[in-house]
């Protein structure tokens, strides 16, 4: 949207309506500002002759108000696109213009000053009138252009409506043989990835399947979602527990003696973790460290850590805490077989953009897109979990990532959804750009600088190799410092965020594989 032209935000319209709109807004704003001065004088029992409006300092004040509207962008966007931040800017600009004009008029000729009461009331009435007229214009536009949602609603969008690739195929028989006599423990078992993982693992008939989640509701739903006949009697063990509590997790490990641990539990909401860095560090980094130590203590054979592409060159607390966890898992010197799985956004999961967009469209509201050039990698929960399980059979690389094709522009995704829901409605009428949120990247990468990718035995899985920047002792020292600061009662969120984000990248000092 152009913002460098004085055309009252009507540049999208044909010439004649645009020119008419310019005249209308000029006339309306001038009339509102002038009438507000006249009305303020009457209300204060100090009538102002009409000719006075053409003389200074009244004329200076009126001109300054109109100039402030242009300077604060009132004429650079359509009324329908004016949001709260611009309303605040416009109102503040008008008040500031009155103060500046009054000061200039006082120094020019103090005897011609309007009474202070009249000026104050005039400022209030003019600001309210100008902002109110635009608010009414936006309300009228929304009332006229917001369509009724279609009935019945279209079918939910699937990943394969957006990306052009075939679902991956895994060797279920080989996995079934590998897990037949093993106990598998899944953390975050009730989440979007965890619950799908539990469902797929149940069909492979492991010796025992242990699901850990801190949400009572998630476990309740998982219990009723899993098909009981697919598992032998007493083979499903669901535990209500917080992975951040070492004593509880130690008891679960002692009672279940897992052979394989798949760690999916994590906080995943980027803007929320920007506001709660201590909680992000505790759940995403410390819990991972504690689980790995428990695996070492209880001689667990295999530990698989589910990470994210946000850990690559992170710009958010979430990504930085996941990067620390990745480094710690790779730096460990232990007999536990360790691997990391790194992938992008899970299409259609709780909290992801597609369900949110569809809820907006169902209510007849515009889709909030943060930036037209924002793009993300997507996978379905089904294919993500299938490939997570297949990495249990691999031992060629420390980190694995999935072939997800090209990233998807969120703008394109939103436009495709609008066309599904409102085929006769212009797509731009149902999309509003809200601006990037704290911690968000424009695009994601899948490998860190210095990492190299190569093929694996599975065509949909890539292996990642790269030197480690820290030893485990160095990481222990750094993480201990972060822990101490997180416990400090006076530590602010911004201080903790800087500490977590500003992890230095030292020269490689540890080999890729231990």
């Amino acid at each position: 949207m152009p913002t460098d032209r004085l055309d009252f935000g009507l540049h999208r319209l044909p010439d004649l309506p645009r020119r008419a709109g310019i005249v209308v807004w000029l006339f309306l704003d001038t009339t509102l500002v002038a009438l507000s001065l006249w009305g303020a004088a009457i209300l204060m029992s100090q009538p102002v002759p009409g000719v006075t409006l053409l003389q200074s300092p009244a004329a200076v004040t009126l001109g300054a108000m109109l100039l402030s509207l242009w300077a604060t962008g009132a004429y650079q966007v359509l009324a329908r696109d004016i949001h709260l931040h611009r309303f605040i800017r416009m109102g503040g600009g008008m008040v500031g213009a009155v103060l500046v004009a009054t000061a200039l008029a006082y120094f020019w000729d103090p005897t011609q000053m309007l009474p202070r009461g009249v000026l104050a009331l005039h400022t209030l009435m003019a600001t309210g009138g100008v902002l109110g007229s635009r608010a009414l214009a936006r309300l009228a536009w929304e009332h006229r252009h917001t369509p009724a949602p279609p009935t019945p609603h279209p079918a939910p969008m699937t990943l394969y409506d957006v990306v052009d690739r075939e679902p991956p195929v895994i060797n279920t028989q080989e996995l079934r043989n590998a897990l037949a006599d093993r106990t598998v423990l899944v953390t975050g078992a009730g989440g979007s990835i965890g619950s799908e993982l539990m469902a797929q693992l149940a069909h492979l008939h492991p010796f025992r399947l242990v699901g850990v989640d801190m949400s009572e509701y998630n476990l309740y739903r998982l219990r009723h979602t899993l098909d009981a006949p697919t598992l032998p009697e007493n083979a499903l063990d669901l535990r209500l527990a917080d992975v951040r509590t070492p004593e509880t997790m130690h008891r679960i490990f002692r009672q279940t003696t897992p052979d394989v641990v798949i760690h999916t539990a994590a906080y995943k909401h980027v803007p929320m973790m920007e506001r709660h860095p201590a909680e992000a560090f505790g759940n995403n980094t410390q819990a991972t460290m504690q689980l790995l130590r428990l695996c070492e203590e209880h001689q667990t054979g295999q530990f698989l850590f589910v990470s994210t592409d946000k850990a690559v060159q992170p710009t958010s607390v979430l990504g930085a805490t996941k990067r620390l966890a990745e480094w710690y898992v790779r730096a460990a010197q232990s007999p536990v077989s360790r691997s990391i799985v790194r992938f992008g956004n899970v299409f259609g999961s709780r909290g992801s953009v597609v369900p949110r967009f569809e809820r907006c469209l169902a209510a007849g509201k515009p889709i909030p897109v943060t930036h037209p050039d924002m793009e993300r990698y997507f996978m379905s929960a089904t294919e993500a979990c299938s490939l997570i399980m297949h990495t249990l059979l691999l031992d060629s690389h420390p980190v694995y990532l999935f072939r997800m094709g090209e990233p998807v522009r969120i703008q394109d995704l939103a436009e495709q959804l609008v066309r599904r829901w409102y085929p006769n409605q212009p797509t731009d009428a149902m999309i509003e750009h809200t601006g990037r949120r704290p911690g968000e990247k424009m695009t994601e990468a899948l490998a860190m600088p210095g990492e190299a990718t190569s093929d694996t035995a599975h065509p949909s899985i890539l292996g990642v190799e790269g030197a480690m920047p820290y030893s485990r002792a160095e990481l222990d020292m750094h993480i201990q410092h972060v822990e101490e600061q997180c416990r400090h009662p006076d530590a602010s969120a911004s201080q903790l965020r800087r500490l977590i984000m500003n992890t230095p990248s030292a020269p490689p000092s540890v080999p890729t594989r231990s």
Side-chain angles (χ1 to χ4, degrees), residues 237-299:
D237 187 356
L238 300 183
R239 299 293 185 105
L240 183 63
D242 188 341
V243 294
R244 295 170 297 184
T245 308
E247 298 81 8
T248 304
M249 294 307 299
H250 178 77
R251 183 172 63 253
I252 292 174
F253 267 69
R254 189 175 64 251
Q255 294 171 350
T256 62
T257 58
D259 302 291
V260 179
V261 172
I262 305 177
H263 179 37
T264 76
Y267 285 141
K268 303 177 179 71
H269 192 272
V270 171
M272 189 172 293
M273 293 304 99
E274 293 298 296
R275 298 192 296 271
H276 302 92
E279 287 72 19
F281 176 75
N283 203 42
N284 294 352
T285 305
Q286 287 181 286
T288 304
M289 295 165 47
Q290 292 166 6
L291 278 174
L292 182 55
R293 290 167 184 164
L294 284 172
C295 288
E296 294 167 352
E297 180 181 347
H298 292 270
Q299 300 180 346

Side-chain angles (χ1 to χ4, degrees), residues 244-364:
R244 295 170 297 184
T245 308
E247 298 81 8
T248 304
M249 294 307 299
H250 178 77
R251 183 172 63 253
I252 292 174
F253 267 69
R254 189 175 64 251
Q255 294 171 350
T256 62
T257 58
D259 302 291
V260 179
V261 172
I262 305 177
H263 179 37
T264 76
Y267 285 141
K268 303 177 179 71
H269 192 272
V270 171
M272 189 172 293
M273 293 304 99
E274 293 298 296
R275 298 192 296 271
H276 302 92
E279 287 72 19
F281 176 75
N283 203 42
N284 294 352
T285 305
Q286 287 181 286
T288 304
M289 295 165 47
Q290 292 166 6
L291 278 174
L292 182 55
R293 290 167 184 164
L294 284 172
C295 288
E296 294 167 352
E297 180 181 347
H298 292 270
Q299 300 180 346
T300 300
Q302 201 166 0
F303 178 80
L304 193 155
F305 172 53
V306 177
S307 188
T308 169
D309 55 5
K310 294 174 178 58
V312 178
Q313 295 180 287
T315 60
S316 65
V317 167
L318 187 153
T321 56
K322 282 287 194 175
R323 179 180 64 176
L324 275 173
E326 280 196 19
W327 282 343
Y328 194 88
V329 170
R330 292 187 59 194
Q333 302 286 339
S334 73
V336 178
S337 173
R338 293 156 282 110
S339 56
I340 297 165
V341 173
R342 189 190 292 162
F343 57 82
N345 291 38
V346 179
F347 193 90
S349 63
R350 281 171 275 165
S352 66
V353 294
V354 174
R356 182 186 177 197
F357 287 176
E358 289 180 330
R359 286 194 297 271
C360 289
L361 293 172

